[in-house]
Amino acid sequence: MKLVEFCKERGITVTAYSPLGSGDRPWAKPTDPKLLEDPKIVAIAEKVNRTPAQVVLNWSIRRGVAVIPKSVTESRILSNFQIFDFSLTDDDMLVLQSFDGGDKFRSCVLEWVSDHPLYPFHIPF
Ligand SMILES: NC(=O)c1ccc[n+]([C@@H]2O[C@H](COP(=O)([O-])OP(=O)(O)OC[C@H]3O[C@@H](n4cnc5c(N)ncnc54)[C@H](OP(=O)(O)O)[C@@H]3O)[C@@H](O)[C@H]2O)c1
């Protein structure tokens, strides 16, 4: 069972750290995927007349996952709140779900504790 569903069944709210892909994280490599520039996400954003950030945030809250996007840019902070007045289609949701990188990619890896018995990222999300 995926962690989000496991927690939902037990009344535990999951929070998405780095819900925009943390593009400015210090440990980003040039070859890492750039979530907000991905053509599939940009296409959905253009279709629903929203920003890529609004699309990925809407996807998370629709799954029942809380989001804590960070921005130092006032216009982005404001637009990141405008995510409760539109809906993605089920097909759009599936496209976003397909971005699950599993063990192949995570923005926050916490690799220095990856051998801890309670390290969370061995569990599918
Ligand atoms: N405690 C922990 O272990 C932990 C771990 C991870 C994250 N967090 C917290 O979670 C929060 C978010 O994490 P994060 O900063 O790693 O990642 P994030 O929110 O996924 O991404 C932040 C990046 O997205 C940009 N951004 C924000 N809104 C945007 C928009 N509408 N369009 C385009 N770009 C946009 C920001 O740029 P600008 O700022 O330049 O606008 C910044 O470069 C932070 O407060 C962080 O402290 C905590």
mmCIF file of all heavy atoms in Angstrom, residues 9 58 117:
data_model
loop_
_atom_site.group_PDB
_atom_site.id
_atom_site.type_symbol
_atom_site.label_atom_id
_atom_site.label_comp_id
_atom_site.label_asym_id
_atom_site.label_seq_id
_atom_site.Cartn_x
_atom_site.Cartn_y
_atom_site.Cartn_z
ATOM 1 N N GLU A 9 -6.098 6.403 5.604
ATOM 2 C CA GLU A 9 -6.967 5.456 6.307
ATOM 3 C C GLU A 9 -6.869 5.597 7.821
ATOM 4 O O GLU A 9 -7.762 5.204 8.556
ATOM 5 C CB GLU A 9 -6.604 4.018 5.920
ATOM 6 C CG GLU A 9 -7.124 3.650 4.550
ATOM 7 C CD GLU A 9 -6.828 2.195 4.226
ATOM 8 O OE1 GLU A 9 -6.326 1.453 5.108
ATOM 9 O OE2 GLU A 9 -7.101 1.806 3.084
ATOM 10 N N ASN A 58 -2.249 21.961 -6.995
ATOM 11 C CA ASN A 58 -3.634 21.466 -7.045
ATOM 12 C C ASN A 58 -3.653 19.943 -7.018
ATOM 13 O O ASN A 58 -4.492 19.329 -6.350
ATOM 14 C CB ASN A 58 -4.321 22.016 -8.303
ATOM 15 C CG ASN A 58 -5.779 21.622 -8.384
ATOM 16 O OD1 ASN A 58 -6.085 20.474 -8.691
ATOM 17 N ND2 ASN A 58 -6.674 22.560 -8.099
ATOM 18 N N PRO A 117 16.549 2.592 10.358
ATOM 19 C CA PRO A 117 15.416 1.659 10.212
ATOM 20 C C PRO A 117 14.093 2.357 9.894
ATOM 21 O O PRO A 117 13.194 1.737 9.309
ATOM 22 C CB PRO A 117 15.349 0.950 11.565
ATOM 23 C CG PRO A 117 16.355 1.593 12.457
ATOM 24 C CD PRO A 117 17.254 2.435 11.637
#
